[in-house]
Amino acid sequence: MLHTTQCEKIPAFGFADTKPHYELLDGLRGVAALLVVFHHIFEGYAFAGSINGVGDGIIAHLNHGYLAVDFFFLLSGFVIGYAYDDRWQRGFTLSDFFRRRLIRLHPMVVFGAVVGLVCFLLQGCAHWDGSRVSVSMAMLALLAAMFMIPAWPGCPYEVRGNGEMFPLNGPAWSLFFEYIGNILYGLLVHRLSTRMLTAVTALLGVALVWMTVGDFVGSGMFGVGWTLDGVNFWGGLVRMLFPYSLGMLLSRRFRPVRVRGAFWLATVVMAALFMVPYIPGKSPVCWNGVYEAVCIIIVFPVLLWLGASDRTAGKRQTAMFRLLGDLSYPLYIVHYPLFYLFYSHLIHTGTYTLGQSLGYASLTVAGSIALAWVALHFYDIPVRRWLTTLTKKSK
């Protein structure tokens, strides 16, 4: 059930807010994070096969799992617009906003980078091609990751050798763009009228359609943003800006309706969307791009609307939604370093299917969830509470 208390406390954020909290959206964010984890399991088989010259690199299952990132951006825009849009006229300042966002996001960025360094050292401190990397470059990569300074392909601290912005923890690329979105919101977007925001969102939607349907990337897939070449930077920027702006627009125009079972419906739909195989064909348009554009522009907003409308959850479901929501960000930010170890195992053992590595895959998933839980309760929440108290005292 959507709680409507006047001063609902949100322990994971360390702040008190006066608006209802959308617990079901927390649950969907957790489901999306789990689907990303399962997507990366199957990505490992495709990656290991491509490294060893086996297969075409296409992910066999949960092929579209990377679109969960677009759903995250949509949710972020909705939640930020809902939480902050009406505060700016009540003395809320730019420094207040940036401080809250940094406290919310950055402790886990640092934690994920440290976990990434540990896993890189355990992996042997080497590129994927086997060549050695100095510990000093690994430490430089750690320092850059802590300050969200991306690596460009081939630079000395791009230590894994496959072009990642943040080679110690690849998914941090989405936080890089999330930070850009936060800066734009704080400086400009919150000042836009709803009509102007609608126009901007429409233009960004046109850009996204051009990039997906026109196969801007060249691979037929819109899984861009993870590296710092021109295509990925501009593609990643549009990939963030459109759903982020759309989420903010929806937060201004949202009108809930009573929808029972919305969480389970949205979960099934999301999982089904991600399981659709790669759709071949690039003439007269990129058909896989058409599918992904429909997911981002049409289906994901409907799932968000369903999630924000459902007020039928009981206490047990609400507890489950909160748990999923609390774990979603830590799980997203800590799981991939463990998956680097998993990928290295697949490459060195020549393993390309789930059946051949079910035990190791299960251990990697379970270890990721356990590490996320430990990080949440023994690092993330305490650090954010301490930072919140510290910043309040400094005022």
Side-chain angles (χ1 to χ4, degrees), residues 141-203:
L142 172 66
L143 186 64
M146 285 180 168
F147 287 94
M148 292 301 289
I149 302 171
W152 63 93
C155 80
Y157 61 91
E158 195 266 288
V159 292
R160 291 190 184 275
N162 61 333
E164 290 172 292
M165 271 193 198
F166 299 98
L168 295 180
N169 191 8
W173 72 265
S174 62
L175 273 297
F176 174 78
F177 286 107
E178 176 101 4
Y179 275 33
I180 293 176
N182 283 319
I183 291 169
L184 291 175
Y185 173 77
L187 294 176
L188 176 64
V189 176
H190 80 270
R191 304 175 188 272
L192 298 179
S193 66
T194 300
R195 179 176 295 181
M196 181 61 70
L197 181 58
T198 301
V200 170
T201 303
L203 289 174

Side-chain angles (χ1 to χ4, degrees), residues 170-292:
W173 72 265
S174 62
L175 273 297
F176 174 78
F177 286 107
E178 176 101 4
Y179 275 33
I180 293 176
N182 283 319
I183 291 169
L184 291 175
Y185 173 77
L187 294 176
L188 176 64
V189 176
H190 80 270
R191 304 175 188 272
L192 298 179
S193 66
T194 300
R195 179 176 295 181
M196 181 61 70
L197 181 58
T198 301
V200 170
T201 303
L203 289 174
L204 290 168
V206 170
L208 186 137
V209 169
W210 174 71
M211 287 183 171
T212 52
V213 175
D215 193 19
F216 174 76
V217 183
S219 65
M221 298 179 288
F222 201 48
V224 292
W226 57 276
T227 187
L228 205 56
D229 60 25
V231 168
N232 273 271
F233 176 77
W234 294 110
L237 194 61
V238 170
R239 190 179 177 190
M240 177 276 295
L241 284 174
F242 171 73
Y244 199 69
S245 300
L246 180 59
M248 291 178 184
L249 183 61
L250 291 174
S251 75
R252 296 185 185 185
R253 295 184 173 275
F254 180 69
R255 298 292 184 273
V257 297
R258 190 174 182 84
V259 180
R260 290 187 176 273
F263 173 78
W264 303 109
L265 175 60
T267 296
V268 170
V269 170
M270 191 184 305
L273 291 174
F274 294 169
M275 289 180 184
V276 172
Y278 176 82
I279 304 172
K282 297 186 178 182
S283 178
V285 295
C286 176
W287 293 109
N288 200 69
V290 171
Y291 174 77
E292 294 183 346

